[in-house]
Amino acid sequence: MRHPKRFPFVAAAAVAAFALTGCAVQGSDAGARSTRACIVLPDTTSSPRWEGSDRPALERAVKDAGFQVVSDNAEGDSSAFLRIASEMIDGGCGVMILADVGGAAAQVAIDAHARGIPVVAYDRPFTGADFLVSFDYERIGALQGQSILDGLSAAGVDPGLAVVDFVGGDDDDPTAALTRQGAVGVLAAAGVSPSADLPAAWDAAKAAETVGTSLDLLGRVDAIWAANDTNAAGAIQALDARGMRAIVTGQDATLAGLRSVLLGTQASTVLKPYSAEAKTAAQVAVTILFGETPESDGELDDGTPYVYVHASLITPERVSEAIDAGAASLADVCAGIEDACSRYHVA
């Protein structure tokens, strides 16, 4: 990845489409259709974020700017993703915001560019996007890796001798690989190598099964790098079933994740302010709809301009930060665990 810099957004295939009337849409209402932002989200199962935070924030920001918006969710199905996007393109889009499923967004980008429609990759990078708005997932993985090292140090465990299981995400999700890469970079430098590399695919039940199998085989574990809070929940379930504890990471600052952090069954999670990410993506899209050129913070190795939204590590002492950011309500986080909230001054 290249060093961040500021420069105007120049889309490879869609520069001519930035003018409000530039989209190749036929019919008497082509001008109206070219002012519409078309949004396709990936699923409703990998995280509650997509429908609970991202969709409403994206729609609200586009509408507040005076533009039309249409959105849908592919429910984890790449074929559905392609169908939904195709229908949106036929209906007319001035810009598309796509959170990829299984590589389908790359084909959508080709189809969109053929109609003069620029494409914004949302959260998940993919080939052919004109712009990326996301979090720095390598940095998120590095935060998780450092959390494990801090936990091992506090427990007096030599990193080079530690038993550390990796519980990764969906192989089709590029952010999973980026997060793992960031974690491995930090852990490997300290002498940690995975004792088991377990698939979970953003599925708590699968994580519980694979972690449980590993625990039964190895008989112990010092830490579990869980790529997100969904996987962490499965790992914790497997540990609890065997009366074991370990340093467990997470990501997404979900309600369950924040409660686990306070209860000490999860060492940390990562707060990713989805509303800020959504607003940033919407601002990029709106800039395009206004016929102007967005600016970026840098570019990926393939030349795609990007803006990264800041993410932060949440430990028990910082749960209040996640609540203040809107990740969950104070009442929900502290329900039934008031003593833990009091201990860490969550109020």
PDB file of all heavy atoms in Angstrom, residues 165 210-221 224 235 238-239 242 244:
ATOM      1  N   ASP A 165      -4.377 -20.070  18.845  1.00  0.00           N
ATOM      2  CA  ASP A 165      -5.230 -20.510  17.745  1.00  0.00           C
ATOM      3  C   ASP A 165      -5.681 -19.297  16.927  1.00  0.00           C
ATOM      4  O   ASP A 165      -5.952 -18.231  17.483  1.00  0.00           O
ATOM      5  CB  ASP A 165      -6.469 -21.231  18.266  1.00  0.00           C
ATOM      6  CG  ASP A 165      -6.168 -22.655  18.715  1.00  0.00           C
ATOM      7  OD1 ASP A 165      -5.017 -23.098  18.569  1.00  0.00           O
ATOM      8  OD2 ASP A 165      -7.102 -23.315  19.224  1.00  0.00           O
ATOM      9  N   THR A 210     -14.973 -25.617  15.519  1.00  0.00           N
ATOM     10  CA  THR A 210     -13.563 -25.775  15.161  1.00  0.00           C
ATOM     11  C   THR A 210     -12.641 -25.495  16.337  1.00  0.00           C
ATOM     12  O   THR A 210     -11.635 -26.191  16.522  1.00  0.00           O
ATOM     13  CB  THR A 210     -13.193 -24.869  13.974  1.00  0.00           C
ATOM     14  OG1 THR A 210     -13.500 -23.505  14.292  1.00  0.00           O
ATOM     15  CG2 THR A 210     -13.954 -25.267  12.720  1.00  0.00           C
ATOM     16  N   VAL A 211     -12.975 -24.510  17.148  1.00  0.00           N
ATOM     17  CA  VAL A 211     -12.163 -24.232  18.340  1.00  0.00           C
ATOM     18  C   VAL A 211     -12.270 -25.394  19.318  1.00  0.00           C
ATOM     19  O   VAL A 211     -11.272 -25.821  19.918  1.00  0.00           O
ATOM     20  CB  VAL A 211     -12.589 -22.908  19.007  1.00  0.00           C
ATOM     21  CG1 VAL A 211     -11.922 -22.748  20.371  1.00  0.00           C
ATOM     22  CG2 VAL A 211     -12.233 -21.721  18.118  1.00  0.00           C
ATOM     23  N   GLY A 212     -13.478 -25.909  19.482  1.00  0.00           N
ATOM     24  CA  GLY A 212     -13.661 -27.045  20.386  1.00  0.00           C
ATOM     25  C   GLY A 212     -12.831 -28.242  19.976  1.00  0.00           C
ATOM     26  O   GLY A 212     -12.206 -28.909  20.813  1.00  0.00           O
ATOM     27  N   THR A 213     -12.796 -28.526  18.683  1.00  0.00           N
ATOM     28  CA  THR A 213     -11.992 -29.637  18.177  1.00  0.00           C
ATOM     29  C   THR A 213     -10.510 -29.417  18.479  1.00  0.00           C
ATOM     30  O   THR A 213      -9.797 -30.341  18.898  1.00  0.00           O
ATOM     31  CB  THR A 213     -12.193 -29.799  16.662  1.00  0.00           C
ATOM     32  OG1 THR A 213     -13.571 -30.083  16.404  1.00  0.00           O
ATOM     33  CG2 THR A 213     -11.338 -30.924  16.114  1.00  0.00           C
ATOM     34  N   SER A 214     -10.056 -28.181  18.289  1.00  0.00           N
ATOM     35  CA  SER A 214      -8.657 -27.862  18.564  1.00  0.00           C
ATOM     36  C   SER A 214      -8.336 -27.994  20.047  1.00  0.00           C
ATOM     37  O   SER A 214      -7.289 -28.533  20.427  1.00  0.00           O
ATOM     38  CB  SER A 214      -8.344 -26.443  18.081  1.00  0.00           C
ATOM     39  OG  SER A 214      -7.019 -26.082  18.402  1.00  0.00           O
ATOM     40  N   LEU A 215      -9.235 -27.517  20.888  1.00  0.00           N
ATOM     41  CA  LEU A 215      -9.006 -27.601  22.336  1.00  0.00           C
ATOM     42  C   LEU A 215      -8.940 -29.057  22.790  1.00  0.00           C
ATOM     43  O   LEU A 215      -8.110 -29.423  23.637  1.00  0.00           O
ATOM     44  CB  LEU A 215     -10.122 -26.867  23.081  1.00  0.00           C
ATOM     45  CG  LEU A 215     -10.185 -25.347  22.912  1.00  0.00           C
ATOM     46  CD1 LEU A 215     -11.400 -24.783  23.625  1.00  0.00           C
ATOM     47  CD2 LEU A 215      -8.912 -24.692  23.441  1.00  0.00           C
ATOM     48  N   ASP A 216      -9.802 -29.885  22.245  1.00  0.00           N
ATOM     49  CA  ASP A 216      -9.795 -31.303  22.613  1.00  0.00           C
ATOM     50  C   ASP A 216      -8.510 -31.983  22.152  1.00  0.00           C
ATOM     51  O   ASP A 216      -8.009 -32.904  22.806  1.00  0.00           O
ATOM     52  CB  ASP A 216     -11.003 -32.011  22.001  1.00  0.00           C
ATOM     53  CG  ASP A 216     -12.318 -31.557  22.614  1.00  0.00           C
ATOM     54  OD1 ASP A 216     -12.288 -31.003  23.736  1.00  0.00           O
ATOM     55  OD2 ASP A 216     -13.370 -31.742  21.965  1.00  0.00           O
ATOM     56  N   LEU A 217      -7.965 -31.526  21.039  1.00  0.00           N
ATOM     57  CA  LEU A 217      -6.747 -32.127  20.502  1.00  0.00           C
ATOM     58  C   LEU A 217      -5.498 -31.654  21.239  1.00  0.00           C
ATOM     59  O   LEU A 217      -4.637 -32.454  21.621  1.00  0.00           O
ATOM     60  CB  LEU A 217      -6.622 -31.789  19.011  1.00  0.00           C
ATOM     61  CG  LEU A 217      -5.376 -32.333  18.291  1.00  0.00           C
ATOM     62  CD1 LEU A 217      -5.402 -33.860  18.275  1.00  0.00           C
ATOM     63  CD2 LEU A 217      -5.312 -31.796  16.871  1.00  0.00           C
ATOM     64  N   LEU A 218      -5.406 -30.335  21.458  1.00  0.00           N
ATOM     65  CA  LEU A 218      -4.205 -29.766  22.072  1.00  0.00           C
ATOM     66  C   LEU A 218      -4.253 -29.769  23.599  1.00  0.00           C
ATOM     67  O   LEU A 218      -3.206 -29.778  24.257  1.00  0.00           O
ATOM     68  CB  LEU A 218      -3.998 -28.334  21.571  1.00  0.00           C
ATOM     69  CG  LEU A 218      -3.774 -28.165  20.062  1.00  0.00           C
ATOM     70  CD1 LEU A 218      -3.675 -26.685  19.704  1.00  0.00           C
ATOM     71  CD2 LEU A 218      -2.514 -28.904  19.621  1.00  0.00           C
ATOM     72  N   GLY A 219      -5.444 -29.707  24.140  1.00  0.00           N
ATOM     73  CA  GLY A 219      -5.578 -29.742  25.597  1.00  0.00           C
ATOM     74  C   GLY A 219      -5.367 -28.413  26.287  1.00  0.00           C
ATOM     75  O   GLY A 219      -5.618 -28.283  27.487  1.00  0.00           O
ATOM     76  N   ARG A 220      -4.917 -27.400  25.553  1.00  0.00           N
ATOM     77  CA  ARG A 220      -4.715 -26.090  26.152  1.00  0.00           C
ATOM     78  C   ARG A 220      -4.613 -25.032  25.058  1.00  0.00           C
ATOM     79  O   ARG A 220      -4.399 -25.341  23.888  1.00  0.00           O
ATOM     80  CB  ARG A 220      -3.427 -26.048  26.989  1.00  0.00           C
ATOM     81  CG  ARG A 220      -2.150 -26.331  26.213  1.00  0.00           C
ATOM     82  CD  ARG A 220      -0.934 -26.196  27.126  1.00  0.00           C
ATOM     83  NE  ARG A 220      -0.623 -24.801  27.407  1.00  0.00           N
ATOM     84  CZ  ARG A 220       0.396 -24.145  26.848  1.00  0.00           C
ATOM     85  NH1 ARG A 220       1.188 -24.740  25.963  1.00  0.00           N
ATOM     86  NH2 ARG A 220       0.628 -22.884  27.166  1.00  0.00           N
ATOM     87  N   VAL A 221      -4.791 -23.807  25.469  1.00  0.00           N
ATOM     88  CA  VAL A 221      -4.606 -22.680  24.569  1.00  0.00           C
ATOM     89  C   VAL A 221      -4.338 -21.444  25.426  1.00  0.00           C
ATOM     90  O   VAL A 221      -4.920 -21.293  26.506  1.00  0.00           O
ATOM     91  CB  VAL A 221      -5.843 -22.467  23.667  1.00  0.00           C
ATOM     92  CG1 VAL A 221      -7.060 -22.030  24.464  1.00  0.00           C
ATOM     93  CG2 VAL A 221      -5.550 -21.462  22.560  1.00  0.00           C
ATOM     94  N   ILE A 224      -6.534 -16.823  21.564  1.00  0.00           N
ATOM     95  CA  ILE A 224      -7.253 -17.112  20.330  1.00  0.00           C
ATOM     96  C   ILE A 224      -7.421 -15.807  19.566  1.00  0.00           C
ATOM     97  O   ILE A 224      -8.081 -14.878  20.059  1.00  0.00           O
ATOM     98  CB  ILE A 224      -8.632 -17.743  20.601  1.00  0.00           C
ATOM     99  CG1 ILE A 224      -8.478 -19.083  21.322  1.00  0.00           C
ATOM    100  CG2 ILE A 224      -9.408 -17.924  19.300  1.00  0.00           C
ATOM    101  CD1 ILE A 224      -9.797 -19.721  21.742  1.00  0.00           C
ATOM    102  N   ALA A 235     -15.732 -18.950  19.919  1.00  0.00           N
ATOM    103  CA  ALA A 235     -14.541 -19.404  20.633  1.00  0.00           C
ATOM    104  C   ALA A 235     -14.781 -19.417  22.141  1.00  0.00           C
ATOM    105  O   ALA A 235     -14.396 -20.371  22.839  1.00  0.00           O
ATOM    106  CB  ALA A 235     -13.362 -18.494  20.296  1.00  0.00           C
ATOM    107  N   ALA A 238     -16.839 -22.370  23.171  1.00  0.00           N
ATOM    108  CA  ALA A 238     -16.054 -23.605  23.241  1.00  0.00           C
ATOM    109  C   ALA A 238     -15.189 -23.635  24.497  1.00  0.00           C
ATOM    110  O   ALA A 238     -15.063 -24.688  25.150  1.00  0.00           O
ATOM    111  CB  ALA A 238     -15.178 -23.731  21.998  1.00  0.00           C
ATOM    112  N   LEU A 239     -14.617 -22.506  24.840  1.00  0.00           N
ATOM    113  CA  LEU A 239     -13.809 -22.432  26.060  1.00  0.00           C
ATOM    114  C   LEU A 239     -14.659 -22.680  27.298  1.00  0.00           C
ATOM    115  O   LEU A 239     -14.287 -23.451  28.189  1.00  0.00           O
ATOM    116  CB  LEU A 239     -13.137 -21.051  26.155  1.00  0.00           C
ATOM    117  CG  LEU A 239     -11.997 -20.772  25.174  1.00  0.00           C
ATOM    118  CD1 LEU A 239     -11.700 -19.273  25.121  1.00  0.00           C
ATOM    119  CD2 LEU A 239     -10.738 -21.539  25.576  1.00  0.00           C
ATOM    120  N   ARG A 242     -15.590 -26.163  28.245  1.00  0.00           N
ATOM    121  CA  ARG A 242     -14.489 -26.996  28.763  1.00  0.00           C
ATOM    122  C   ARG A 242     -13.859 -26.397  30.010  1.00  0.00           C
ATOM    123  O   ARG A 242     -12.814 -26.857  30.462  1.00  0.00           O
ATOM    124  CB  ARG A 242     -13.443 -27.184  27.660  1.00  0.00           C
ATOM    125  CG  ARG A 242     -13.960 -28.045  26.514  1.00  0.00           C
ATOM    126  CD  ARG A 242     -13.209 -27.812  25.227  1.00  0.00           C
ATOM    127  NE  ARG A 242     -13.725 -28.686  24.152  1.00  0.00           N
ATOM    128  CZ  ARG A 242     -14.838 -28.406  23.475  1.00  0.00           C
ATOM    129  NH1 ARG A 242     -15.522 -27.295  23.739  1.00  0.00           N
ATOM    130  NH2 ARG A 242     -15.256 -29.239  22.531  1.00  0.00           N
ATOM    131  N   MET A 244     -12.383 -23.563  30.383  1.00  0.00           N
ATOM    132  CA  MET A 244     -11.084 -22.976  30.067  1.00  0.00           C
ATOM    133  C   MET A 244     -11.222 -21.482  29.809  1.00  0.00           C
ATOM    134  O   MET A 244     -12.294 -20.976  29.495  1.00  0.00           O
ATOM    135  CB  MET A 244     -10.478 -23.670  28.837  1.00  0.00           C
ATOM    136  CG  MET A 244     -10.281 -25.171  29.005  1.00  0.00           C
ATOM    137  SD  MET A 244      -9.797 -26.010  27.461  1.00  0.00           S
ATOM    138  CE  MET A 244      -8.161 -25.324  27.204  1.00  0.00           C
TER     139      MET A 244
END
